[in-house]
Amino acid sequence: MPPFDLDYTGVPDALPGLPEEDWYQVMVDAVTERLSSKGDPQIEVMLRIIQGERTNLVHMGKKVKTWVTFTKEDQNKSYSKFILKCLNQPHKEKFSVVPDCWLGQQCMVRVIQETREYEGKTYTNAKVKGWRVLEETGATGKAEVEDDPFKT
């Protein structure tokens, strides 16, 4: 193959091992039940990237960890309720949460890179900052997503 020219002017460097900021179609790969530091039920969720809206298959297979906490405070219940909806789980009225039923479920999540300082060192991590419902649209295999997180 002969040499070829590339122009990477203005293209930011991606941090090794971290997915770029994007909305990703993901699948729940693992769940671990635990309690939060305040004693609320919490599920540690390992998400495996299938593809990004902008980055396509570049980060396929990479994993992102997040936590879903079920608090008693009303202002936080809407968020965990919406995550259950995104994961195609019961989310209306009274029900039991069965984290093992989350395995294999797909949805869309917004991943960002978050940098923080801890004990004099700087760390950058991939963090889930948004959720959307994934809806299959039939034979095309394309995915459409819902924009309104509080739509029921």
Side-chain angles (χ1 to χ4, degrees), residues 20-127:
E20 298 169 55
E21 295 188 10
D22 196 358
W23 279 96
Y24 290 97
Q25 178 181 351
V26 296
M27 181 182 346
V28 177
D29 211 39
V31 293
T32 305
E33 298 177 52
R34 55 189 245 176
L35 293 177
S36 72
S37 60
K38 294 182 180 179
D40 294 317
Q42 185 177 69
I43 311 301
E44 180 181 291
V45 185
M46 185 63 71
L47 301 169
R48 185 168 27 97
I49 293 175
I50 296 171
Q51 70 178 32
E53 284 185 348
R54 187 178 46 77
T55 55
N56 295 312
L57 301 176
V58 171
H59 299 289
M60 184 173 73
K62 288 186 180 176
K63 295 183 181 182
V64 178
K65 186 188 302 185
T66 192
W67 294 264
V68 180
T69 305
F70 298 91
T71 63
K72 295 171 184 74
E73 294 89 32
D74 286 339
Q75 69 268 25
N76 296 328
K77 287 182 180 177
S78 292
Y79 187 70
S80 58
K81 178 180 180 177
F82 184 66
I83 292 171
L84 289 170
K85 180 180 178 179
C86 291
L87 295 174
N88 197 30
Q89 298 300 301
H91 60 279
K92 296 181 181 179
E93 305 298 328
K94 294 182 179 184
F95 55 89
S96 294
V97 175
V98 184
D100 285 342
C101 291
W102 301 12
L103 296 171
Q105 294 296 320
Q106 295 183 27
C107 66
M108 299 291 292
V109 295
R110 181 172 162 249
V111 174
I112 65 163
Q113 291 182 4
E114 182 176 79
T115 302
R116 64 182 180 87
E117 299 282 330
Y118 181 71
E119 295 183 354
K121 294 184 181 179
T122 302
Y123 298 91
T124 301
N125 297 305
K127 185 172 183 176

